[in-house]
Amino acid sequence: MVLSAPEWQGREAAHAIRVDAATAGHRTRRATGASHPVEDFLFTYYANSVTALRRWHPGAGVGLVDADRETWRFYRTASGVTDVDLDAYLAERGSRVAAIRRLLEATLDRPASFGCFGLHEWAMLHRADQSGVRHHDWPLRLGRAGTDAVVESHQVTCSHVDAFRFFTPTARPLNTLQPTRERQTALEQPGCLHAGMDCYKWAYQLVPAVPSELVMDCFELAHDIRILDMRASPYDLRGLGYEPVSIETREGKAAYVEAQRGFTWRSQELRRRLLAATDGLVSRSAA
């Protein structure tokens, strides 16, 4: 597919508007030195800058007429048409593409589990001293003792290595699983909120082979999941307009699982799209 200059410039402009709207609050806070425990997570935890997110890519197999991308990595121009140089891209990132696809395929094919209730955020505070509290400016809804009691009165079933690695030493043995990086592909499951947020990580790591519109769809899912993640956390964020999802109650658990099911459907659709966008890259890399 080849896009004329007006076609690709229109998509590029629409993408810039979308990114600017989604990142306006973060950019303002960054300029003033302020922080937000929910909204800034996608920029402090994930290694993708606003500048990189704003740069528009058409994805593999799409040529651009009259596009000046001489200095853009993994692009080439021939006869006035610029596209992704897949040979150069795969020579450097082929093994990473293959690893991401294995994880996406395994997660896509695995049944979802809905019994964790977001207890990972609670386990990150279990019996921690003040230095272990990640969001110092926000009180705990149930206090320190109440937070510990929630962890100790529930079965903790976190399957995500990048959530589990932040558990306190006293909480780690309470988890029914002991996730490691080596076991990530074997344990990742689509009901996990952090696995859903990570669709954004896999999307930006696949740039420029995947289109920027797909990266932003993954970004928006991660943003929406982060809101639920923190509403269900031990922190009281009502001062920011976030009503708690009280997962220590039966009603709160039901609300959490209902939202979790919706996010699972959205993340599975994005995994399918990421896999479709990179179909053929692994075989091409091997060849």
Side-chain angles (χ1 to χ4, degrees):
M1 176 192 301
V2 176
L3 300 178
S4 67
E7 287 175 320
W8 70 258
Q9 288 168 0
R11 285 178 58 179
E12 183 180 56
H15 176 71
I17 292 170
R18 186 181 182 188
V19 173
D20 287 348
T23 63
H26 170 74
R27 288 183 288 112
T28 298
R29 286 188 297 274
R30 186 175 61 185
T32 61
S35 64
H36 193 292
V38 180
E39 299 286 344
D40 292 337
F41 178 80
L42 299 185
F43 303 97
T44 57
Y45 179 77
Y46 290 111
N48 197 42
S49 67
V50 174
T51 300
L53 183 63
R54 198 177 189 273
R55 177 172 284 193
W56 180 78
H57 301 275
V62 180
L64 309 177
V65 175
D66 295 333
D68 182 14
R69 300 196 172 189
E70 294 281 328
T71 61
W72 288 34
R73 200 172 185 197
F74 302 125
Y75 278 88
R76 63 186 176 186
T77 300
S79 302
V81 176
T82 301
D83 64 357
V84 177
D85 185 344
L86 288 179
D87 291 333
Y89 173 77
L90 291 170
E92 181 170 321
R93 298 190 179 175
S95 60
R96 187 59 184 153
V97 173
I100 291 173
R101 282 183 59 88
R102 283 194 298 271
L103 181 60
L104 291 172
E105 288 170 338
T107 310
L108 186 65
D109 291 340
R110 193 164 288 132
S113 175
F114 299 107
C116 70
F117 305 122
L119 284 165
H120 54 275
E121 286 288 342
W122 300 72
M124 294 175 192
L125 292 171
H126 184 252
R127 299 189 181 277
D129 58 27
Q130 188 60 28
S131 64
V133 177
R134 298 170 68 196
H135 303 292
H136 297 279
D137 295 335
W138 300 98
L140 301 178
R141 287 195 296 109
L142 305 181
R144 302 306 299 276
T147 300
D148 292 344
V150 168
V151 177
E152 293 161 7
S153 63
H154 286 75
Q155 185 177 62
V156 186
T157 58
C158 180
S159 59
H160 197 273
V161 61
D162 286 316
F164 180 68
R165 68 189 176 97
F166 291 107
F167 280 28
T168 64
T170 56
R172 293 173 74 88
L174 302 178
N175 198 33
T176 57
L177 299 169
Q178 298 294 300
T180 62
R181 188 68 61 201
E182 293 72 24
R183 299 180 65 205
Q184 186 171 9
T185 301
L187 292 179
E188 200 104 311
Q189 55 89 13
C192 171
L193 292 189
H194 274 263
M197 282 194 285
D198 278 353
C199 286
Y200 171 54
K201 176 165 66 174
W202 311 134
Y204 71 70
Q205 287 188 5
L206 289 168
V207 165
V210 300
S212 290
E213 291 87 350
L214 176 51
V215 178
M216 271 305 292
D217 288 345
C218 293
F219 175 93
E220 289 174 355
L221 172 66
H223 170 269
D224 294 346
I225 290 177
R226 175 62 177 173
I227 292 174
L228 175 64
D229 199 33
M230 291 305 290
R231 288 180 62 209
S233 78
Y235 298 99
D236 188 341
L237 301 178
R238 281 173 285 197
L240 293 173
Y242 299 110
E243 284 298 315
V245 177
S246 303
I247 55 91
E248 70 276 10
T249 69
R250 181 178 300 177
E251 296 76 15
K253 287 182 173 66
Y256 184 89
V257 170
E258 181 181 4
Q260 192 178 21
R261 290 184 183 277
F263 288 135
T264 298
W265 183 88
R266 286 175 62 185
S267 67
Q268 290 289 66
E269 284 297 303
L270 290 173
R271 290 185 184 98
R272 292 186 185 95
R273 291 173 59 193
L274 287 166
L275 288 168
T278 55
D279 276 347
L281 293 188
V282 174
S283 58
R284 182 186 179 110
S285 179

PDB file of all heavy atoms in Angstrom, residues 150-184:
ATOM      1  N   VAL A 150      -6.060  -7.098  55.034  1.00  0.00           N
ATOM      2  CA  VAL A 150      -6.676  -7.498  53.763  1.00  0.00           C
ATOM      3  C   VAL A 150      -5.795  -8.506  53.049  1.00  0.00           C
ATOM      4  O   VAL A 150      -6.274  -9.523  52.536  1.00  0.00           O
ATOM      5  CB  VAL A 150      -6.931  -6.259  52.878  1.00  0.00           C
ATOM      6  CG1 VAL A 150      -7.300  -6.671  51.453  1.00  0.00           C
ATOM      7  CG2 VAL A 150      -8.030  -5.393  53.472  1.00  0.00           C
ATOM      8  N   VAL A 151      -4.502  -8.261  53.017  1.00  0.00           N
ATOM      9  CA  VAL A 151      -3.583  -9.193  52.364  1.00  0.00           C
ATOM     10  C   VAL A 151      -3.624 -10.549  53.057  1.00  0.00           C
ATOM     11  O   VAL A 151      -3.702 -11.607  52.405  1.00  0.00           O
ATOM     12  CB  VAL A 151      -2.142  -8.636  52.365  1.00  0.00           C
ATOM     13  CG1 VAL A 151      -1.163  -9.636  51.762  1.00  0.00           C
ATOM     14  CG2 VAL A 151      -2.083  -7.320  51.610  1.00  0.00           C
ATOM     15  N   GLU A 152      -3.594 -10.526  54.358  1.00  0.00           N
ATOM     16  CA  GLU A 152      -3.492 -11.773  55.125  1.00  0.00           C
ATOM     17  C   GLU A 152      -4.793 -12.561  55.158  1.00  0.00           C
ATOM     18  O   GLU A 152      -4.780 -13.769  55.431  1.00  0.00           O
ATOM     19  CB  GLU A 152      -3.024 -11.453  56.541  1.00  0.00           C
ATOM     20  CG  GLU A 152      -1.580 -10.936  56.573  1.00  0.00           C
ATOM     21  CD  GLU A 152      -1.234 -10.182  57.853  1.00  0.00           C
ATOM     22  OE1 GLU A 152      -2.074 -10.180  58.779  1.00  0.00           O
ATOM     23  OE2 GLU A 152      -0.136  -9.582  57.905  1.00  0.00           O
ATOM     24  N   SER A 153      -5.922 -11.925  54.857  1.00  0.00           N
ATOM     25  CA  SER A 153      -7.208 -12.619  54.893  1.00  0.00           C
ATOM     26  C   SER A 153      -7.671 -13.084  53.513  1.00  0.00           C
ATOM     27  O   SER A 153      -8.756 -13.642  53.387  1.00  0.00           O
ATOM     28  CB  SER A 153      -8.280 -11.703  55.504  1.00  0.00           C
ATOM     29  OG  SER A 153      -8.485 -10.554  54.692  1.00  0.00           O
ATOM     30  N   HIS A 154      -6.859 -12.856  52.497  1.00  0.00           N
ATOM     31  CA  HIS A 154      -7.208 -13.268  51.145  1.00  0.00           C
ATOM     32  C   HIS A 154      -6.143 -14.214  50.583  1.00  0.00           C
ATOM     33  O   HIS A 154      -4.996 -14.215  51.029  1.00  0.00           O
ATOM     34  CB  HIS A 154      -7.303 -12.059  50.205  1.00  0.00           C
ATOM     35  CG  HIS A 154      -8.519 -11.217  50.401  1.00  0.00           C
ATOM     36  ND1 HIS A 154      -8.671 -10.352  51.469  1.00  0.00           N
ATOM     37  CD2 HIS A 154      -9.656 -11.101  49.665  1.00  0.00           C
ATOM     38  CE1 HIS A 154      -9.838  -9.740  51.379  1.00  0.00           C
ATOM     39  NE2 HIS A 154     -10.453 -10.184  50.296  1.00  0.00           N
ATOM     40  N   GLN A 155      -6.556 -14.984  49.587  1.00  0.00           N
ATOM     41  CA  GLN A 155      -5.585 -15.773  48.831  1.00  0.00           C
ATOM     42  C   GLN A 155      -5.037 -14.885  47.709  1.00  0.00           C
ATOM     43  O   GLN A 155      -5.782 -14.431  46.842  1.00  0.00           O
ATOM     44  CB  GLN A 155      -6.236 -17.024  48.241  1.00  0.00           C
ATOM     45  CG  GLN A 155      -5.252 -17.944  47.539  1.00  0.00           C
ATOM     46  CD  GLN A 155      -5.922 -19.203  47.023  1.00  0.00           C
ATOM     47  OE1 GLN A 155      -6.815 -19.138  46.179  1.00  0.00           O
ATOM     48  NE2 GLN A 155      -5.503 -20.350  47.531  1.00  0.00           N
ATOM     49  N   VAL A 156      -3.761 -14.624  47.729  1.00  0.00           N
ATOM     50  CA  VAL A 156      -3.130 -13.758  46.735  1.00  0.00           C
ATOM     51  C   VAL A 156      -2.672 -14.631  45.561  1.00  0.00           C
ATOM     52  O   VAL A 156      -1.949 -15.608  45.753  1.00  0.00           O
ATOM     53  CB  VAL A 156      -1.939 -12.994  47.332  1.00  0.00           C
ATOM     54  CG1 VAL A 156      -1.387 -11.984  46.327  1.00  0.00           C
ATOM     55  CG2 VAL A 156      -2.353 -12.285  48.622  1.00  0.00           C
ATOM     56  N   THR A 157      -3.124 -14.268  44.344  1.00  0.00           N
ATOM     57  CA  THR A 157      -2.864 -15.124  43.178  1.00  0.00           C
ATOM     58  C   THR A 157      -2.307 -14.318  42.013  1.00  0.00           C
ATOM     59  O   THR A 157      -2.762 -14.443  40.876  1.00  0.00           O
ATOM     60  CB  THR A 157      -4.146 -15.842  42.729  1.00  0.00           C
ATOM     61  OG1 THR A 157      -5.146 -14.851  42.413  1.00  0.00           O
ATOM     62  CG2 THR A 157      -4.672 -16.766  43.802  1.00  0.00           C
ATOM     63  N   CYS A 158      -1.315 -13.506  42.258  1.00  0.00           N
ATOM     64  CA  CYS A 158      -0.748 -12.658  41.209  1.00  0.00           C
ATOM     65  C   CYS A 158       0.116 -13.494  40.267  1.00  0.00           C
ATOM     66  O   CYS A 158       1.026 -14.207  40.706  1.00  0.00           O
ATOM     67  CB  CYS A 158       0.086 -11.542  41.828  1.00  0.00           C
ATOM     68  SG  CYS A 158       0.839 -10.444  40.606  1.00  0.00           S
ATOM     69  N   SER A 159      -0.135 -13.363  38.957  1.00  0.00           N
ATOM     70  CA  SER A 159       0.602 -14.138  37.952  1.00  0.00           C
ATOM     71  C   SER A 159       1.598 -13.298  37.161  1.00  0.00           C
ATOM     72  O   SER A 159       2.281 -13.834  36.282  1.00  0.00           O
ATOM     73  CB  SER A 159      -0.385 -14.791  36.970  1.00  0.00           C
ATOM     74  OG  SER A 159      -1.175 -13.802  36.318  1.00  0.00           O
ATOM     75  N   HIS A 160       1.689 -12.012  37.458  1.00  0.00           N
ATOM     76  CA  HIS A 160       2.489 -11.112  36.623  1.00  0.00           C
ATOM     77  C   HIS A 160       3.814 -10.775  37.292  1.00  0.00           C
ATOM     78  O   HIS A 160       3.847 -10.206  38.388  1.00  0.00           O
ATOM     79  CB  HIS A 160       1.716  -9.826  36.343  1.00  0.00           C
ATOM     80  CG  HIS A 160       2.256  -9.039  35.200  1.00  0.00           C
ATOM     81  ND1 HIS A 160       3.264  -8.111  35.357  1.00  0.00           N
ATOM     82  CD2 HIS A 160       1.955  -9.049  33.887  1.00  0.00           C
ATOM     83  CE1 HIS A 160       3.545  -7.572  34.184  1.00  0.00           C
ATOM     84  NE2 HIS A 160       2.766  -8.121  33.266  1.00  0.00           N
ATOM     85  N   VAL A 161       4.911 -11.084  36.614  1.00  0.00           N
ATOM     86  CA  VAL A 161       6.231 -10.930  37.222  1.00  0.00           C
ATOM     87  C   VAL A 161       6.527  -9.482  37.572  1.00  0.00           C
ATOM     88  O   VAL A 161       7.164  -9.200  38.605  1.00  0.00           O
ATOM     89  CB  VAL A 161       7.321 -11.505  36.291  1.00  0.00           C
ATOM     90  CG1 VAL A 161       7.362 -10.795  34.947  1.00  0.00           C
ATOM     91  CG2 VAL A 161       8.692 -11.445  36.963  1.00  0.00           C
ATOM     92  N   ASP A 162       6.072  -8.517  36.770  1.00  0.00           N
ATOM     93  CA  ASP A 162       6.409  -7.127  37.027  1.00  0.00           C
ATOM     94  C   ASP A 162       5.513  -6.483  38.072  1.00  0.00           C
ATOM     95  O   ASP A 162       5.767  -5.341  38.469  1.00  0.00           O
ATOM     96  CB  ASP A 162       6.377  -6.328  35.722  1.00  0.00           C
ATOM     97  CG  ASP A 162       7.577  -6.634  34.853  1.00  0.00           C
ATOM     98  OD1 ASP A 162       8.689  -6.692  35.404  1.00  0.00           O
ATOM     99  OD2 ASP A 162       7.413  -6.838  33.636  1.00  0.00           O
ATOM    100  N   ALA A 163       4.475  -7.171  38.508  1.00  0.00           N
ATOM    101  CA  ALA A 163       3.749  -6.755  39.703  1.00  0.00           C
ATOM    102  C   ALA A 163       4.351  -7.466  40.920  1.00  0.00           C
ATOM    103  O   ALA A 163       4.620  -6.847  41.954  1.00  0.00           O
ATOM    104  CB  ALA A 163       2.265  -7.071  39.571  1.00  0.00           C
ATOM    105  N   PHE A 164       4.596  -8.748  40.746  1.00  0.00           N
ATOM    106  CA  PHE A 164       5.110  -9.555  41.854  1.00  0.00           C
ATOM    107  C   PHE A 164       6.468  -9.062  42.345  1.00  0.00           C
ATOM    108  O   PHE A 164       6.757  -9.120  43.542  1.00  0.00           O
ATOM    109  CB  PHE A 164       5.202 -11.015  41.414  1.00  0.00           C
ATOM    110  CG  PHE A 164       5.726 -11.947  42.465  1.00  0.00           C
ATOM    111  CD1 PHE A 164       4.981 -12.216  43.610  1.00  0.00           C
ATOM    112  CD2 PHE A 164       6.964 -12.558  42.322  1.00  0.00           C
ATOM    113  CE1 PHE A 164       5.459 -13.084  44.590  1.00  0.00           C
ATOM    114  CE2 PHE A 164       7.457 -13.412  43.293  1.00  0.00           C
ATOM    115  CZ  PHE A 164       6.700 -13.686  44.430  1.00  0.00           C
ATOM    116  N   ARG A 165       7.296  -8.545  41.464  1.00  0.00           N
ATOM    117  CA  ARG A 165       8.643  -8.129  41.884  1.00  0.00           C
ATOM    118  C   ARG A 165       8.616  -6.943  42.835  1.00  0.00           C
ATOM    119  O   ARG A 165       9.620  -6.653  43.498  1.00  0.00           O
ATOM    120  CB  ARG A 165       9.519  -7.840  40.671  1.00  0.00           C
ATOM    121  CG  ARG A 165       9.148  -6.632  39.837  1.00  0.00           C
ATOM    122  CD  ARG A 165       9.964  -6.598  38.546  1.00  0.00           C
ATOM    123  NE  ARG A 165       9.598  -5.507  37.660  1.00  0.00           N
ATOM    124  CZ  ARG A 165      10.221  -4.346  37.592  1.00  0.00           C
ATOM    125  NH1 ARG A 165      11.234  -4.100  38.408  1.00  0.00           N
ATOM    126  NH2 ARG A 165       9.835  -3.419  36.733  1.00  0.00           N
ATOM    127  N   PHE A 166       7.467  -6.246  42.941  1.00  0.00           N
ATOM    128  CA  PHE A 166       7.338  -5.134  43.883  1.00  0.00           C
ATOM    129  C   PHE A 166       6.678  -5.549  45.206  1.00  0.00           C
ATOM    130  O   PHE A 166       6.486  -4.715  46.084  1.00  0.00           O
ATOM    131  CB  PHE A 166       6.544  -3.995  43.252  1.00  0.00           C
ATOM    132  CG  PHE A 166       7.264  -3.299  42.133  1.00  0.00           C
ATOM    133  CD1 PHE A 166       6.881  -3.479  40.817  1.00  0.00           C
ATOM    134  CD2 PHE A 166       8.344  -2.465  42.395  1.00  0.00           C
ATOM    135  CE1 PHE A 166       7.540  -2.839  39.776  1.00  0.00           C
ATOM    136  CE2 PHE A 166       9.018  -1.817  41.365  1.00  0.00           C
ATOM    137  CZ  PHE A 166       8.615  -2.014  40.052  1.00  0.00           C
ATOM    138  N   PHE A 167       6.311  -6.827  45.351  1.00  0.00           N
ATOM    139  CA  PHE A 167       5.760  -7.302  46.619  1.00  0.00           C
ATOM    140  C   PHE A 167       6.807  -7.122  47.719  1.00  0.00           C
ATOM    141  O   PHE A 167       8.010  -7.263  47.478  1.00  0.00           O
ATOM    142  CB  PHE A 167       5.402  -8.786  46.529  1.00  0.00           C
ATOM    143  CG  PHE A 167       4.097  -9.091  45.849  1.00  0.00           C
ATOM    144  CD1 PHE A 167       3.562  -8.254  44.883  1.00  0.00           C
ATOM    145  CD2 PHE A 167       3.389 -10.241  46.171  1.00  0.00           C
ATOM    146  CE1 PHE A 167       2.367  -8.542  44.252  1.00  0.00           C
ATOM    147  CE2 PHE A 167       2.192 -10.540  45.547  1.00  0.00           C
ATOM    148  CZ  PHE A 167       1.674  -9.694  44.587  1.00  0.00           C
ATOM    149  N   THR A 168       6.344  -6.839  48.925  1.00  0.00           N
ATOM    150  CA  THR A 168       7.267  -6.768  50.048  1.00  0.00           C
ATOM    151  C   THR A 168       7.754  -8.182  50.389  1.00  0.00           C
ATOM    152  O   THR A 168       7.118  -9.176  50.023  1.00  0.00           O
ATOM    153  CB  THR A 168       6.592  -6.156  51.274  1.00  0.00           C
ATOM    154  OG1 THR A 168       5.521  -7.013  51.696  1.00  0.00           O
ATOM    155  CG2 THR A 168       6.057  -4.758  50.974  1.00  0.00           C
ATOM    156  N   PRO A 169       8.877  -8.293  51.089  1.00  0.00           N
ATOM    157  CA  PRO A 169       9.393  -9.620  51.447  1.00  0.00           C
ATOM    158  C   PRO A 169       8.396 -10.468  52.218  1.00  0.00           C
ATOM    159  O   PRO A 169       8.370 -11.698  52.067  1.00  0.00           O
ATOM    160  CB  PRO A 169      10.633  -9.295  52.289  1.00  0.00           C
ATOM    161  CG  PRO A 169      11.084  -7.965  51.784  1.00  0.00           C
ATOM    162  CD  PRO A 169       9.821  -7.215  51.455  1.00  0.00           C
ATOM    163  N   THR A 170       7.550  -9.843  53.038  1.00  0.00           N
ATOM    164  CA  THR A 170       6.574 -10.620  53.803  1.00  0.00           C
ATOM    165  C   THR A 170       5.381 -11.055  52.952  1.00  0.00           C
ATOM    166  O   THR A 170       4.706 -12.026  53.289  1.00  0.00           O
ATOM    167  CB  THR A 170       6.063  -9.802  55.001  1.00  0.00           C
ATOM    168  OG1 THR A 170       5.529  -8.548  54.526  1.00  0.00           O
ATOM    169  CG2 THR A 170       7.171  -9.543  56.004  1.00  0.00           C
ATOM    170  N   ALA A 171       5.135 -10.354  51.860  1.00  0.00           N
ATOM    171  CA  ALA A 171       3.999 -10.700  51.001  1.00  0.00           C
ATOM    172  C   ALA A 171       4.348 -11.758  49.968  1.00  0.00           C
ATOM    173  O   ALA A 171       3.472 -12.520  49.536  1.00  0.00           O
ATOM    174  CB  ALA A 171       3.467  -9.450  50.301  1.00  0.00           C
ATOM    175  N   ARG A 172       5.593 -11.829  49.565  1.00  0.00           N
ATOM    176  CA  ARG A 172       5.968 -12.746  48.493  1.00  0.00           C
ATOM    177  C   ARG A 172       5.618 -14.201  48.801  1.00  0.00           C
ATOM    178  O   ARG A 172       5.062 -14.907  47.945  1.00  0.00           O
ATOM    179  CB  ARG A 172       7.464 -12.606  48.180  1.00  0.00           C
ATOM    180  CG  ARG A 172       7.820 -11.258  47.567  1.00  0.00           C
ATOM    181  CD  ARG A 172       9.324 -11.081  47.419  1.00  0.00           C
ATOM    182  NE  ARG A 172       9.868 -11.884  46.331  1.00  0.00           N
ATOM    183  CZ  ARG A 172       9.942 -11.471  45.084  1.00  0.00           C
ATOM    184  NH1 ARG A 172       9.527 -10.264  44.747  1.00  0.00           N
ATOM    185  NH2 ARG A 172      10.447 -12.253  44.154  1.00  0.00           N
ATOM    186  N   PRO A 173       5.889 -14.701  50.008  1.00  0.00           N
ATOM    187  CA  PRO A 173       5.534 -16.102  50.292  1.00  0.00           C
ATOM    188  C   PRO A 173       4.022 -16.349  50.330  1.00  0.00           C
ATOM    189  O   PRO A 173       3.588 -17.508  50.233  1.00  0.00           O
ATOM    190  CB  PRO A 173       6.158 -16.352  51.668  1.00  0.00           C
ATOM    191  CG  PRO A 173       7.151 -15.272  51.863  1.00  0.00           C
ATOM    192  CD  PRO A 173       6.614 -14.093  51.135  1.00  0.00           C
ATOM    193  N   LEU A 174       3.226 -15.285  50.467  1.00  0.00           N
ATOM    194  CA  LEU A 174       1.770 -15.444  50.531  1.00  0.00           C
ATOM    195  C   LEU A 174       1.150 -15.643  49.150  1.00  0.00           C
ATOM    196  O   LEU A 174      -0.006 -16.063  49.054  1.00  0.00           O
ATOM    197  CB  LEU A 174       1.144 -14.214  51.197  1.00  0.00           C
ATOM    198  CG  LEU A 174       1.615 -13.884  52.616  1.00  0.00           C
ATOM    199  CD1 LEU A 174       0.926 -12.612  53.118  1.00  0.00           C
ATOM    200  CD2 LEU A 174       1.359 -15.045  53.565  1.00  0.00           C
ATOM    201  N   ASN A 175       1.896 -15.338  48.097  1.00  0.00           N
ATOM    202  CA  ASN A 175       1.364 -15.490  46.745  1.00  0.00           C
ATOM    203  C   ASN A 175       1.361 -16.966  46.353  1.00  0.00           C
ATOM    204  O   ASN A 175       2.341 -17.688  46.581  1.00  0.00           O
ATOM    205  CB  ASN A 175       2.220 -14.688  45.754  1.00  0.00           C
ATOM    206  CG  ASN A 175       1.500 -14.442  44.444  1.00  0.00           C
ATOM    207  OD1 ASN A 175       0.286 -14.295  44.406  1.00  0.00           O
ATOM    208  ND2 ASN A 175       2.252 -14.385  43.360  1.00  0.00           N
ATOM    209  N   THR A 176       0.275 -17.421  45.731  1.00  0.00           N
ATOM    210  CA  THR A 176       0.180 -18.831  45.347  1.00  0.00           C
ATOM    211  C   THR A 176       1.119 -19.167  44.192  1.00  0.00           C
ATOM    212  O   THR A 176       1.434 -20.338  43.976  1.00  0.00           O
ATOM    213  CB  THR A 176      -1.257 -19.189  44.944  1.00  0.00           C
ATOM    214  OG1 THR A 176      -1.670 -18.327  43.872  1.00  0.00           O
ATOM    215  CG2 THR A 176      -2.210 -19.021  46.119  1.00  0.00           C
ATOM    216  N   LEU A 177       1.551 -18.142  43.444  1.00  0.00           N
ATOM    217  CA  LEU A 177       2.495 -18.314  42.353  1.00  0.00           C
ATOM    218  C   LEU A 177       3.777 -17.557  42.676  1.00  0.00           C
ATOM    219  O   LEU A 177       3.756 -16.614  43.464  1.00  0.00           O
ATOM    220  CB  LEU A 177       1.910 -17.787  41.036  1.00  0.00           C
ATOM    221  CG  LEU A 177       0.629 -18.454  40.532  1.00  0.00           C
ATOM    222  CD1 LEU A 177       0.032 -17.645  39.376  1.00  0.00           C
ATOM    223  CD2 LEU A 177       0.883 -19.889  40.108  1.00  0.00           C
ATOM    224  N   GLN A 178       4.851 -17.975  42.072  1.00  0.00           N
ATOM    225  CA  GLN A 178       6.123 -17.269  42.231  1.00  0.00           C
ATOM    226  C   GLN A 178       6.636 -16.906  40.837  1.00  0.00           C
ATOM    227  O   GLN A 178       7.542 -17.544  40.302  1.00  0.00           O
ATOM    228  CB  GLN A 178       7.129 -18.137  42.986  1.00  0.00           C
ATOM    229  CG  GLN A 178       6.709 -18.490  44.403  1.00  0.00           C
ATOM    230  CD  GLN A 178       6.652 -17.286  45.326  1.00  0.00           C
ATOM    231  OE1 GLN A 178       7.658 -16.610  45.524  1.00  0.00           O
ATOM    232  NE2 GLN A 178       5.500 -17.013  45.907  1.00  0.00           N
ATOM    233  N   PRO A 179       6.044 -15.876  40.210  1.00  0.00           N
ATOM    234  CA  PRO A 179       6.389 -15.540  38.829  1.00  0.00           C
ATOM    235  C   PRO A 179       7.848 -15.110  38.686  1.00  0.00           C
ATOM    236  O   PRO A 179       8.392 -14.394  39.530  1.00  0.00           O
ATOM    237  CB  PRO A 179       5.452 -14.369  38.503  1.00  0.00           C
ATOM    238  CG  PRO A 179       4.359 -14.449  39.518  1.00  0.00           C
ATOM    239  CD  PRO A 179       4.997 -15.005  40.746  1.00  0.00           C
ATOM    240  N   THR A 180       8.466 -15.548  37.605  1.00  0.00           N
ATOM    241  CA  THR A 180       9.819 -15.130  37.249  1.00  0.00           C
ATOM    242  C   THR A 180       9.816 -14.702  35.789  1.00  0.00           C
ATOM    243  O   THR A 180       8.892 -15.007  35.039  1.00  0.00           O
ATOM    244  CB  THR A 180      10.825 -16.275  37.426  1.00  0.00           C
ATOM    245  OG1 THR A 180      10.479 -17.346  36.543  1.00  0.00           O
ATOM    246  CG2 THR A 180      10.836 -16.786  38.865  1.00  0.00           C
ATOM    247  N   ARG A 181      10.873 -13.990  35.381  1.00  0.00           N
ATOM    248  CA  ARG A 181      10.972 -13.573  33.986  1.00  0.00           C
ATOM    249  C   ARG A 181      11.015 -14.787  33.065  1.00  0.00           C
ATOM    250  O   ARG A 181      10.423 -14.787  31.984  1.00  0.00           O
ATOM    251  CB  ARG A 181      12.234 -12.726  33.800  1.00  0.00           C
ATOM    252  CG  ARG A 181      12.349 -12.071  32.440  1.00  0.00           C
ATOM    253  CD  ARG A 181      11.297 -11.006  32.228  1.00  0.00           C
ATOM    254  NE  ARG A 181      11.418  -9.926  33.202  1.00  0.00           N
ATOM    255  CZ  ARG A 181      10.445  -9.084  33.526  1.00  0.00           C
ATOM    256  NH1 ARG A 181       9.259  -9.184  32.956  1.00  0.00           N
ATOM    257  NH2 ARG A 181      10.631  -8.125  34.420  1.00  0.00           N
ATOM    258  N   GLU A 182      11.687 -15.840  33.495  1.00  0.00           N
ATOM    259  CA  GLU A 182      11.805 -17.033  32.671  1.00  0.00           C
ATOM    260  C   GLU A 182      10.470 -17.733  32.486  1.00  0.00           C
ATOM    261  O   GLU A 182      10.244 -18.401  31.464  1.00  0.00           O
ATOM    262  CB  GLU A 182      12.817 -18.002  33.292  1.00  0.00           C
ATOM    263  CG  GLU A 182      14.250 -17.517  33.304  1.00  0.00           C
ATOM    264  CD  GLU A 182      14.493 -16.399  34.318  1.00  0.00           C
ATOM    265  OE1 GLU A 182      13.728 -16.286  35.296  1.00  0.00           O
ATOM    266  OE2 GLU A 182      15.461 -15.622  34.127  1.00  0.00           O
ATOM    267  N   ARG A 183       9.559 -17.574  33.444  1.00  0.00           N
ATOM    268  CA  ARG A 183       8.259 -18.249  33.372  1.00  0.00           C
ATOM    269  C   ARG A 183       7.145 -17.327  32.878  1.00  0.00           C
ATOM    270  O   ARG A 183       5.976 -17.704  32.894  1.00  0.00           O
ATOM    271  CB  ARG A 183       7.887 -18.803  34.754  1.00  0.00           C
ATOM    272  CG  ARG A 183       8.852 -19.829  35.324  1.00  0.00           C
ATOM    273  CD  ARG A 183       8.372 -20.295  36.683  1.00  0.00           C
ATOM    274  NE  ARG A 183       7.113 -21.014  36.586  1.00  0.00           N
ATOM    275  CZ  ARG A 183       6.235 -21.122  37.590  1.00  0.00           C
ATOM    276  NH1 ARG A 183       6.471 -20.507  38.740  1.00  0.00           N
ATOM    277  NH2 ARG A 183       5.122 -21.812  37.440  1.00  0.00           N
ATOM    278  N   GLN A 184       7.495 -16.135  32.420  1.00  0.00           N
ATOM    279  CA  GLN A 184       6.470 -15.157  32.053  1.00  0.00           C
ATOM    280  C   GLN A 184       5.553 -15.679  30.955  1.00  0.00           C
ATOM    281  O   GLN A 184       4.326 -15.557  31.046  1.00  0.00           O
ATOM    282  CB  GLN A 184       7.115 -13.845  31.615  1.00  0.00           C
ATOM    283  CG  GLN A 184       6.101 -12.735  31.355  1.00  0.00           C
ATOM    284  CD  GLN A 184       6.747 -11.382  31.125  1.00  0.00           C
ATOM    285  OE1 GLN A 184       7.977 -11.281  30.986  1.00  0.00           O
ATOM    286  NE2 GLN A 184       5.952 -10.336  31.080  1.00  0.00           N
TER     287      GLN A 184
END
